[in-house]
Amino acid sequence: MIHFVLIMLVIILAFPVFFAVVTSTLSLQESYQYPPKLLPGDQFMNNLREAWGRINMGRLFFNSTLISVVVAIVKTVLALLAAFAYTHFKFHGQGLLFSICMITQMLPLPVRIIPTYQLMAGFNWINSYYALMVPFFASTTGLILFRQFYLTVPRDLPDAARVDGASPMRYFMQILVPISSTNIAALFVIEFIFMWSQYLWPLIVTTTQDMRVIQIGIKMLLASEQIAPEWNVIMAATVIAMLPPLVVLLALRKSFVQGIAMQTAK
């Protein structure tokens, strides 16, 4: 029974993706056909070329990929260093500072849009990669993830490294980072997909098409309310936009699952 329920859930969750893939292969007339066609057509490349030409998808893909990769890497590195500092050093105000970091977790980006936008405008960063990336560099999620993992590391390990003459950074780089590989992969996947899916913030801080991201490009394909959407073209762009997060997830799936499982077990 449980397997039947799981299979049905998978079918329900996967059907929108399947329908998008099928629609991306149809002609405009077929995409509006009722009942909807559930068999693929042969127009995918034509639809993709149409979408690519309308919104300059190459540039949008470059922007989204650059932003997602850089933010995921910087977030992971900063989270590693912050968690190391919180778990292996004692300093005044440590508990208060961590509590403040936890409070920021309860303030999503939409709540911080106005002050963040004013800050970016003050730095003259509007319509730049700095505005698209810098506000996302710090990650309380990553800090919590690595902090909880480092708290499980035996205290004898850093003591033994110190006896052997290893400096704190050497201990961090040669011992802690390698044993954190699964958590690093899990955080990288989460942050890459999170940044790839961003729409509201890039829409606010970019003013020219060459600085837009792929999510805005897909919205641009909707044209206006007076014109019927060309769903076959839109879905072709959507299918291509789904590929990078899927590739990252598949490439790091084993480490991602292990990292999530480790945190769940704790």
Side-chain angles (χ1 to χ4, degrees):
M1 182 62 183
I2 186 65
H3 290 89
F4 174 77
V5 174
L6 291 175
I7 292 172
M8 292 304 299
L9 287 175
V10 169
I11 293 174
I12 293 172
L13 293 174
F15 184 77
V17 177
F18 169 77
F19 186 72
V21 172
V22 171
T23 304
S24 70
T25 65
L26 304 178
S27 64
L28 177 60
Q29 293 74 18
E30 290 174 327
S31 66
Y32 276 94
Q33 186 175 318
Y34 187 84
K37 291 189 64 173
L38 297 180
L39 294 178
D42 58 358
Q43 297 298 310
F44 178 75
M45 293 307 301
N46 292 333
N47 295 334
L48 181 58
R49 278 193 292 267
E50 182 69 20
W52 201 280
R54 288 189 192 178
I55 60 174
N56 191 13
M57 283 184 64
R59 177 70 183 189
L60 302 184
F61 255 90
F62 172 79
N63 292 342
S64 291
T65 303
L66 176 66
I67 294 166
S68 300
V69 170
V70 171
V71 169
I73 292 175
V74 174
K75 266 190 173 183
T76 302
V77 172
L78 292 181
L80 281 165
L81 292 170
F84 177 58
Y86 271 114
T87 55
H88 288 75
F89 299 97
K90 299 296 182 182
F91 51 89
H92 293 294
Q94 184 175 13
L96 176 62
L97 187 59
F98 184 74
S99 299
I100 293 175
C101 291
M102 291 295 295
I103 291 174
T104 63
Q105 184 74 1
M106 295 181 278
L107 299 174
L109 181 62
V111 177
R112 298 178 278 119
I113 279 182
I114 294 178
T116 306
Y117 183 87
Q118 290 177 330
L119 184 63
M120 296 298 102
F123 288 147
N124 198 27
W125 284 355
I126 299 300
N127 200 46
S128 70
Y129 289 117
Y130 296 114
L132 289 168
M133 294 188 289
V134 172
F136 297 94
F137 278 170
S139 172
T140 306
T141 302
L143 169 60
I144 297 172
L145 179 72
F146 290 117
R147 178 179 178 273
Q148 292 304 111
F149 174 69
Y150 289 162
L151 288 175
T152 65
V153 175
R155 295 303 305 172
D156 294 341
L157 193 59
D159 294 339
R162 193 178 303 111
V163 170
D164 289 340
S167 64
M169 285 307 298
R170 183 180 177 186
Y171 164 71
F172 171 72
M173 293 297 297
Q174 296 186 356
I175 298 178
L176 282 186
V177 171
I179 66 176
S180 306
S181 58
T182 55
N183 298 72
I184 291 173
L187 182 62
F188 182 88
V189 171
I190 292 171
E191 298 301 343
F192 182 91
I193 295 176
F194 172 75
M195 287 307 302
W196 187 269
S197 304
Q198 284 297 308
Y199 174 81
L200 181 59
W201 181 247
L203 181 65
I204 292 174
V205 297
T206 58
T207 57
T208 59
Q209 186 169 343
D210 62 341
M211 291 301 299
R212 301 292 194 187
V213 295
I214 190 62
Q215 310 301 334
I216 297 176
I218 294 175
K219 176 61 173 65
M220 291 164 59
L221 288 173
L222 286 171
S224 65
E225 296 180 359
Q226 288 74 30
I227 304 175
E230 297 182 47
W231 291 114
N232 53 326
V233 176
I234 296 171
M235 291 305 173
T238 302
V239 168
I240 296 300
M242 289 190 295
L243 291 181
L246 181 62
V247 170
V248 170
L249 182 59
L250 291 177
L252 300 175
R253 66 186 183 282
K254 185 175 180 180
S255 297
F256 173 73
V257 172
Q258 290 177 349
I260 298 298
M262 288 173 60
Q263 294 302 314
T264 304
K266 295 168 188 173

